Amino acid sequence: MKQSQKKVTMSDVFKNPRYRGKHIILAAGKIFTAKTGEGASKILETIRKKYPKEIPEIAYLPKAHSLILWM
Protein backbone atom coordinates (compact mmCIF):
# COMPACT_ATOMS: atom_id res chain seq x y z
CA MET A 1 0.00 0.00 0.00
CA LYS A 2 1.39 3.41 -0.98
CA GLN A 3 1.43 6.28 1.43
CA SER A 4 0.36 9.61 0.03
CA GLN A 5 3.21 12.10 0.12
CA LYS A 6 2.61 15.47 1.67
CA LYS A 7 2.83 18.19 -0.95
CA VAL A 8 5.71 20.56 -0.21
CA THR A 9 4.70 24.22 -0.12
CA MET A 10 6.77 27.37 -0.21
CA SER A 11 5.80 28.15 3.40
CA ASP A 12 7.37 24.82 4.44
CA VAL A 13 10.57 25.88 2.68
CA PHE A 14 10.55 29.33 4.32
CA LYS A 15 10.35 27.71 7.78
CA ASN A 16 13.36 25.46 7.16
CA PRO A 17 16.68 27.21 8.00
CA ARG A 18 18.69 24.91 5.73
CA TYR A 19 17.50 26.80 2.64
CA ARG A 20 18.68 30.25 3.82
CA GLY A 21 21.02 32.04 1.44
CA LYS A 22 19.88 29.97 -1.57
CA HIS A 23 17.67 30.26 -4.62
CA ILE A 24 14.71 27.90 -4.28
CA ILE A 25 12.64 26.45 -7.12
CA LEU A 26 9.59 24.40 -6.22
CA ALA A 27 8.05 22.29 -8.98
CA ALA A 28 6.21 18.97 -9.21
CA GLY A 29 6.34 18.58 -5.44
CA LYS A 30 10.15 18.72 -5.43
CA ILE A 31 12.57 21.31 -4.07
CA PHE A 32 15.53 22.40 -6.19
CA THR A 33 18.22 24.70 -4.78
CA ALA A 34 21.05 26.77 -6.26
CA LYS A 35 23.66 29.04 -4.73
CA THR A 36 23.74 31.49 -7.64
CA GLY A 37 21.23 33.02 -10.01
CA GLU A 38 22.96 31.37 -12.96
CA GLY A 39 22.60 27.98 -11.32
CA ALA A 40 18.93 28.67 -10.67
CA SER A 41 18.35 29.58 -14.32
CA LYS A 42 19.95 26.30 -15.46
CA ILE A 43 17.76 24.34 -13.07
CA LEU A 44 14.71 26.26 -14.29
CA GLU A 45 15.49 25.37 -17.93
CA THR A 46 15.79 21.70 -16.97
CA ILE A 47 12.52 21.78 -15.04
CA ARG A 48 10.68 23.40 -17.95
CA LYS A 49 11.86 20.60 -20.27
CA LYS A 50 11.13 17.80 -17.80
CA TYR A 51 7.80 19.14 -16.48
CA PRO A 52 6.33 21.33 -19.27
CA LYS A 53 2.87 21.62 -17.68
CA GLU A 54 4.12 22.61 -14.22
CA ILE A 55 4.38 26.24 -13.14
CA PRO A 56 7.41 26.51 -10.86
CA GLU A 57 7.57 28.73 -7.79
CA ILE A 58 10.84 30.64 -7.51
CA ALA A 59 12.25 32.50 -4.52
CA TYR A 60 15.50 33.64 -2.95
CA LEU A 61 15.80 33.22 0.79
CA PRO A 62 18.31 35.66 2.26
CA LYS A 63 20.54 34.59 5.13
CA ALA A 64 19.17 35.13 8.62
CA HIS A 65 20.98 38.39 9.32
CA SER A 66 20.65 40.07 5.93
CA LEU A 67 19.40 43.63 5.65
CA ILE A 68 16.97 44.25 2.80
CA LEU A 69 16.40 47.87 1.77
CA TRP A 70 13.35 48.99 -0.21
CA MET A 71 13.27 52.21 -2.15
Side-chain angles (χ1 to χ4, degrees):
M1 184 184 288
K2 278 188 168 181
Q3 289 182 340
S4 62
Q5 291 182 340
K6 181 184 172 194
K7 186 175 179 180
V8 179
T9 63
M10 198 55 89
S11 65
D12 295 333
V13 174
F14 288 151
K15 292 176 188 175
N16 194 336
R18 97 185 222 192
Y19 298 114
R20 297 195 191 258
K22 296 182 182 177
H23 296 269
I24 307 296
I25 301 171
L26 194 69
K30 298 178 183 178
I31 302 170
F32 302 90
T33 62
K35 290 185 179 182
T36 64
E38 288 180 21
S41 67
K42 289 178 184 178
I43 292 172
L44 190 57
E45 286 177 24
T46 305
I47 289 172
R48 286 186 175 159
K49 289 177 185 174
K50 193 170 182 180
Y51 306 105
K53 294 186 179 185
E54 288 286 325
I55 299 173
E57 295 181 58
I58 305 166
Y60 174 75
L61 296 172
K63 292 185 180 183
H65 299 289
S66 296
L67 178 64
I68 301 172
L69 301 174
W70 291 83
M71 291 190 183

